[in-house]
Amino acid sequence: MSLPAPTPDALAASHSLQQLIAAEIEQLGGAMAFSRFMELALYAPRLGYYSGGASKLGASGDFTTAPEMSPLFGAALARAAAAIIAQSAPDIIEFGAGTGKLARDVLTALGEMGVQVRSYTIIELSGELRARQQEALKDLPVVTWLDGMPASFSGVVLANEVLDAMPVELVIRKDGRWQRQMVTVDNGAFAFVQQALPPELAAQVARQIPEAEHLPDGYVTEIHPVAEGFMGSLAAMMKGGRGAAFLFDYGFPAHEYYLDQRMGGTLMCHYRHHSHPDPFFLPGLQDITAHVDFTAMALASQEAGLPVLAYMNQASFLLGCGIGELLMETDPADALRFLPQSKAVQKLVSPAEMGELFKVLVVGKDVDLPIAIVRADRAHRL
């Protein structure tokens, strides 16, 4: 692959992480579950992609998220948040807050609407990103940080591109059977090797993949036990309260996820704004993600007692929240201000850009969504 070369310090950090992973593989008898490899590559203390010091977002990072494109994303989301706050509590939790831009945009928009927020709590696993957030939001005393979920919560929960960064299991259809993709060391390099599925993973394959036994040999895909566990924890946190969680991510419902033609799965890596499929390239220096199975997420939430309130593509959600009206608050005659915002909104809602691939899953209890969002609901497609 023709990808930008890392700095000597970054390369040394990646080599240290590779040695750590290889040592654990040896301790495990020669093979490690891919989910564990992905966990270490992303979250190993001081060396993983999210726990190390490399820049992740923006021009100097590896990818750009919706809040980085336009403050109108946060302003539109704030309209939905205001409706939920009016029915629950003036508190917000955001998981994986990136640079902190979404937090600022949401709080700014809510303030302009006259909605007072009592607390805005960020739960962030990345030390580098938490430091950036604390610097960017230091003038907003309402913002605080936690290392984990509180025991109970009422209000609004936000999670933008969080589920896709959770470790996944890889499974492959081989010789008419599903097998687990494991990671081994072969001639000094990481490589895949297959093992029989343990019973709990076999049960999850049968439950999660429609017509799993009819997919062709060589078919590789992902199973999402960590993300499903997160949905269960979210349900437990909100069990005694009222409110709604808005989860934005790229992905599909199950009947679109496991198509015959998607033979290689959805696993993808991001390095310096280049995308490629090799998870073994410079561990610790690249993001590793998989598309979200929104059917699995919805079922995990419902089974844990937190109902699905709505599901739709990002375009329908943002348009329902009035992002078009927000754009027109900038005078179109002021080309220097209007054209960049118009271009960003187009990218957020266009079916050829983020509008269709990105979805919004809303789960919650004892609250009603704004009618414009309810009209766009496509939960029946899950």
Side-chain angles (χ1 to χ4, degrees):
M1 291 182 295
S2 178
L3 295 173
T7 66
D9 286 347
L11 190 60
S14 179
H15 285 163
S16 294
L17 178 56
Q18 291 174 55
Q19 291 171 355
L20 183 151
I21 295 172
E24 184 166 323
I25 288 174
E26 184 177 2
Q27 293 172 359
L28 292 169
M32 168 189 287
F34 180 78
S35 57
R36 176 59 176 164
F37 173 89
M38 186 171 171
E39 179 185 0
L40 290 171
L42 296 181
Y43 303 109
R46 298 179 302 280
L47 296 174
Y49 180 76
Y50 283 106
S51 51
S55 179
K56 284 89 180 159
L57 296 162
S60 63
D62 301 304
F63 54 89
T64 300
T65 63
E68 306 296 318
M69 295 177 188
S70 170
L72 298 184
F73 179 86
L77 180 52
R79 291 185 168 191
I84 301 304
I85 285 172
Q87 303 170 68
S88 56
D91 300 306
I92 300 174
I93 287 179
E94 183 181 359
F95 289 93
T99 63
K101 191 170 186 305
L102 180 59
R104 178 173 292 281
D105 291 343
V106 167
L107 286 170
T108 298
L110 288 172
E112 291 172 352
M113 287 187 278
V115 177
Q116 296 298 313
V117 175
R118 181 170 57 194
S119 68
Y120 193 113
T121 304
I122 293 174
I123 299 176
E124 180 61 69
L125 297 180
S126 168
E128 183 264 335
L129 288 175
R130 179 185 285 210
R132 289 180 69 178
Q133 294 158 13
Q134 290 173 335
E135 176 62 26
L137 303 171
K138 61 185 178 183
D139 60 325
L140 297 173
V142 71
V143 182
T144 58
W145 283 260
L146 285 178
D147 293 325
M149 292 187 187
S152 60
F153 179 74
S154 289
V156 175
V157 176
L158 307 177
N160 181 60
E161 293 196 51
V162 171
L163 295 171
D164 68 89
M166 294 185 177
V168 296
E169 292 280 1
L170 291 184
V171 294
I172 183 170
R173 185 86 172 152
K174 193 170 183 181
D175 299 326
R177 296 175 295 142
W178 286 101
Q179 298 184 46
R180 189 183 199 180
Q181 290 277 62
M182 307 289 287
V183 180
T184 190
V185 179
D186 184 16
N187 291 322
F190 296 123
F192 284 119
V193 65
Q194 288 77 45
Q195 286 187 4
L197 291 180
E200 66 276 8
L201 200 55
Q204 191 159 3
V205 166
R207 182 175 69 250
Q208 186 169 319
I209 304 178
E211 300 184 357
E213 298 310 309
H214 297 287
L215 289 169
D217 264 20
Y219 192 97
V220 176
T221 193
E222 304 86 24
I223 302 297
H224 306 77
V226 176
E228 290 187 55
F230 171 81
M231 297 303 297
S233 297
L234 188 62
M237 180 185 77
M238 300 182 74
K239 185 175 183 179
R242 59 193 303 171
F246 298 84
L247 301 107
F248 296 76
D249 230 310
Y250 44 90
F252 313 99
H255 69 275
E256 296 177 13
Y257 197 112
Y258 307 102
L259 299 177
D260 283 9
Q261 59 265 39
R262 196 169 282 124
M263 286 287 296
T266 73
L267 196 79
M268 190 57 61
C269 305
H270 304 279
Y271 175 74
R272 304 277 187 88
H273 293 276
H274 292 72
S275 298
H276 67 89
D278 182 7
F280 303 142
F281 175 77
L282 294 179
L285 302 188
Q286 66 172 359
D287 193 16
I288 306 174
T289 75
H291 284 51
V292 175
D293 177 344
F294 280 101
T295 301
M297 299 307 108
L299 289 174
S301 183
Q302 286 187 166
E303 290 170 1
L306 190 62
V308 171
L309 300 182
Y311 166 78
M312 65 203 68
N313 62 30
Q314 180 173 284
S316 296
F317 180 85
L318 292 177
L319 292 170
C321 289
I323 196 169
E325 300 163 18
L326 291 166
L327 172 63
M328 295 311 297
E329 290 178 4
T330 300
D331 184 357
D334 185 353
L336 286 177
R337 294 181 61 233
F338 181 80
L339 289 179
Q341 291 292 0
S342 176
K343 184 178 179 180
V345 169
Q346 174 71 9
K347 188 164 188 176
L348 290 171
V349 303
S350 168
E353 298 278 357
M354 299 174 69
E356 176 58 38
L357 177 60
F358 278 71
K359 310 298 195 307
V360 187
L361 178 66
V362 188
V363 295
K365 55 179 297 191
D366 300 330
V367 292
D368 295 318
L369 294 173
I371 188 63
I373 297 177
V374 173
R375 288 195 186 112
D377 181 32
R378 296 294 181 270
H380 62 276
R381 296 185 60 191
L382 289 168

